[in-house]
Amino acid sequence: MKAAPQAQLRLIDLQELDSSLDRLAHRRRTLAELAEIDRLGGSLTELRDAIVGAETEVGDLDREQRKAEQDVDQVRARAERDQQRLDSGQVTSAKDLSGLQAEIESLTRRQSDLEEVVLEIMERREELEGRVGSLRADQAAAQRDLAALTERRDTAQREIDDEAGTTGSARAAVAKDVPDDLLGLYEKLRDQFGGVGAAKLYRGACQGCHLALNTVDLNRIRAAAQDEVVRCEECRRILVRTPESGL
Ligand SMILES: [Zn+2]
């Protein structure tokens, strides 16, 4: 392939701009805020699940409490009826009287046990509500962090996009100075070799793979016409000759 030496030199400018664009794209992809936002998203999902779980448990406890309170009422009502019968003087047989008294005592114990259950439920509910409160506080803090991070990410991305826009315009202008066939080869090599398609020959070394060229290759390049597009024998990239090539 042949291209004017000036066009070959423009390829080096193009390479520098493309490398800048690659670095910008890499920076955009790997912003620290992105990983933080991901992590916070995970935390928020866990918090939401924990809140739903705790609130469901509160609902279950409410039902348990209502049930226990109904039991207390029933037992109390029955004890009151027994007490009224006892007080009415209608029950006269000693056996019935002692039976009634035994039942009242048993109902009183039962009522006290049930009231104990109600108290335990209320304590558990209070604990759970405290837990829901602290989960909600964590959730609010995580949401604030997420909002702040999102803003920082957006700002960083805008700055990168602005810089990429400027660099992209410069790149388009430089690309016009490079003939299509050379540009095509350069793009192909850039795809193959990690974004670097063209490199300077600098003091006898390829700036693409950083290896020094051997004498045979250097002599071959010395003998090549100025408009011949030469390649590095090691890395196959386009080698651009400059006054500092050491030829
Ligand atoms: Zn090389």
Side-chain angles (χ1 to χ4, degrees), residues 199 205-211 213 232-237 239:
C206 165
Q207 293 295 94
C209 62
H210 300 286
L211 291 175
L213 272 67
C232 170
E233 289 300 324
E234 292 296 335
C235 69
R236 300 306 299 149
R237 292 184 174 99
L239 264 183

Side-chain angles (χ1 to χ4, degrees), residues 1-3 178-188 229 238:
M1 188 180 291
K2 290 196 180 294
V178 181
D180 286 348
D181 55 350
L182 184 58
L183 195 60
L185 175 63
Y186 160 78
E187 300 279 17
K188 197 183 86 182
V229 174
I238 298 166

Side-chain angles (χ1 to χ4, degrees), residues 9 19 40 48 59 62 66-67 70 106 111 133 151 157 177 186 190 204 213 222 232 241:
L9 281 170
S19 294
L40 267 181
R48 198 192 53 215
D62 282 346
R66 278 197 298 278
K67 172 81 177 61
Q70 280 166 8
S106 154
Q111 183 182 335
E151 201 178 318
Q157 285 183 342
D177 298 340
Y186 160 78
R190 223 171 87 72
L213 272 67
R222 275 189 193 106
C232 170
R241 284 161 286 176

